[in-house]
Amino acid sequence: MNTLQLFELMIAILPVIIGLHYLANRLGLPPAVPLLAGGCLMAFLPGLPAFSPDPELILVIFLPPLLIDGAWGISVRYLRKHIIGITSLAVGAVLFTTLVVAVVTHWLFPSLPWAACAALGAIVSPPDAVSARAVLQQVKLPRRVLMLLEGESLLNDATGLVLFRFAVAAAITGAFSTTQALGSFAVLALGGAAIGAAVGVAWVLIGRRLQDEYLVITSALLVSWAAYILAERLHVSGVIATVIAGMICGTNQYKVFTAAGRVRGIAFWTVTVFLMETAVFMLIGLSLRGVVERIGGFGMALEQMAVPVLSILLALLVARFAWIFLSDGAISLCRLLGMRRYTPLGARGALVLGWAGVRGVVTLALALSLPEDFPGRDFILVSAFAVILCTVLVQGTTLGLLIRWTGLVPPESDKPRLSMSEAEAALMQVQLQVVQSRAYDGEGKLIHPQMLEQYKKKASVYTNYAGKESVLMPTVHAHFDVVLEAIAAAHAELIRLHKVGDIDEHTLVELQKNLDLEELTAIAIRA
């Protein structure tokens, strides 16, 4: 497939994406499900050239912006609170699952080198951030379970990539060092974190000085690729670098973006992420044809590989459930022994957490990046694709049913101290205090009567203003100078409420939208 054909294919995918996404909304399915199925069907359309993606190119194009989108909105406070559980999943579960898959693979194919078996384990072990988010958007989970899944999917790729690289090197050279692997993982993780922090801080410092909303939005888009590519060039973890940069930028976004920048940036970023997310699943589906042709067709795959692949899928599922339930059991045992710092998830939470391990683009890219002469490459490719298909199509479609069946609902403790209406009341009190303090001059004379009336009944202000623009313009300027100051005070109070934990991210985002719209309206009228 040449460059022109690839471009034409991407254009042809767009109406298919619209149709399949619309179908998913009508059927109440995770969008990833029909998109992946549609890509698989498109792959075998007569006359369509075979799609053979460059795995490195796919990763560098799609992974950084999708990773940073997840990291941008994640709660750093809750991430820090659940860091042990997230680390257990992102590192411990991946290592354990890799080991289990490697043992099962070697049992199925005794002649296959242990390093090749470990490579397969590393490829299929880490759940994918893109796939996980595509599924989790459709369900409502307790905050702790959701934070564990989001944190795991953002950080576990680094563990899988390190294991994969060492397994491939061991298969080719025949040498492996546990000490060297551990040291390399530490360097990759710490180096990636340092690069991500540097890029994130640099964006905050530069973004505050750009003073142009379009430049700020563009610079925010570049952060993901800057962190990822720079880290990979320096041979540290691009995944961790992107996540850390995203968290820093997300935490400081209110210092960089103006109200107009936030409104336009959210609109631009939402569409960009939507197109990338949907395109990823279509491209995964389109890759099926190359995998099938390489192994000699569906008949050959079913005849020779069906049972081994199903064994790998079962091993993958059992290993994840075993790790999660054993970890939860260890926490329960610690509580019985008097160590009550941590609370177990319980059987229902552990069941949902285990079933939510969905694989995607990283698994496919790693499998496709194997050298042509790598031992067992055909079986690894088929297994990787089967894992993606089964986890997205089966686990993705049934996760909501499982949550309803278990009766897992967010506990009362998940609710923030203030509700939406209470937070709105708090912001209004702050604005009213500013207006009252500025509505009178030093002698106690009321100088902004329309402003006080506006906060009592806004409609009357617009009625009094209509038709009297030229006469009231000096007063309007003074009026909206105070309005903008009141909005700034409300914005500061909103950030404070979120920082101390009185409101959650949803309340923060929704009320920030309201304040941004108020600010844009005030600026437009004042001008």
Side-chain angles (χ1 to χ4, degrees), residues 148-418:
L148 288 173
L149 287 169
E150 289 182 347
E152 175 198 15
S153 64
L154 287 173
L155 299 175
N156 61 9
D157 288 334
T159 308
L161 287 168
V162 171
L163 291 174
F164 174 75
R165 289 172 180 172
F166 274 92
V168 171
I172 295 174
T173 64
F176 177 77
S177 169
T178 303
T179 304
Q180 184 181 0
L182 291 174
S184 177
F185 179 78
V187 171
L188 287 170
L190 295 176
I195 295 297
V199 171
V201 171
W203 177 78
V204 174
L205 295 176
I206 294 172
R208 296 175 70 175
R209 290 165 173 76
L210 289 177
Q211 297 181 345
D212 185 299
E213 59 200 49
Y214 297 107
L215 296 180
V216 175
I217 294 170
T218 304
S219 68
L221 178 64
L222 291 175
V223 166
S224 61
W225 284 302
Y228 186 88
I229 294 174
L230 180 59
E232 290 295 319
R233 289 289 185 182
L234 296 176
H235 306 291
V236 295
S237 175
V239 172
I240 291 181
T242 306
V243 171
I244 295 298
M247 288 193 293
I248 291 175
C249 293
T251 302
N252 293 278
Q253 60 178 301
Y254 300 107
K255 300 177 182 178
V256 178
F257 280 105
T258 61
R262 270 192 297 274
V263 172
R264 292 185 173 94
I266 289 172
F268 166 78
W269 193 253
T270 301
V271 175
T272 300
V273 169
F274 167 78
L275 290 174
M276 286 194 161
E277 220 170 47
T278 51
V280 161
F281 289 105
M282 290 294 293
L283 294 178
I284 290 175
L286 288 168
S287 302
L288 176 61
R289 179 174 168 183
V291 174
V292 172
E293 288 178 349
R294 177 179 173 86
I295 61 176
F298 282 109
M300 185 68 68
L302 292 173
E303 181 181 344
Q304 297 185 358
M305 298 185 183
V307 174
V309 167
L310 288 175
S311 300
I312 296 300
L313 285 166
L314 182 61
L316 196 66
L317 196 60
V318 170
R320 180 171 177 84
F321 275 111
W323 180 269
I324 291 172
F325 274 93
L326 287 173
S327 300
D328 210 46
I331 295 175
S332 299
L333 180 61
C334 289
R335 288 182 66 84
L336 289 175
L337 296 175
M339 294 177 284
R340 300 182 176 275
R341 181 178 179 183
Y342 300 104
T343 304
L345 284 171
R348 292 182 298 175
L351 186 64
V352 171
L353 190 64
W355 192 247
V358 185
R359 276 69 176 180
V361 62
V362 175
T363 292
L364 180 65
L366 291 181
L368 291 173
S369 68
L370 287 171
E372 289 291 329
D373 57 349
F374 192 81
R377 186 177 191 269
D378 290 347
F379 176 69
I380 292 175
L381 279 173
V382 173
S383 298
F385 213 99
V387 165
I388 296 170
L389 285 175
C390 290
T391 55
V392 173
L393 298 181
V394 178
Q395 292 174 229
T397 55
T398 57
L399 182 60
L401 294 174
L402 179 65
I403 293 171
R404 289 192 290 272
W405 178 73
T406 57
L408 187 66
V409 294
E412 288 296 318
S413 59
D414 271 10
K415 295 182 179 179
R417 190 177 68 82
L418 298 181

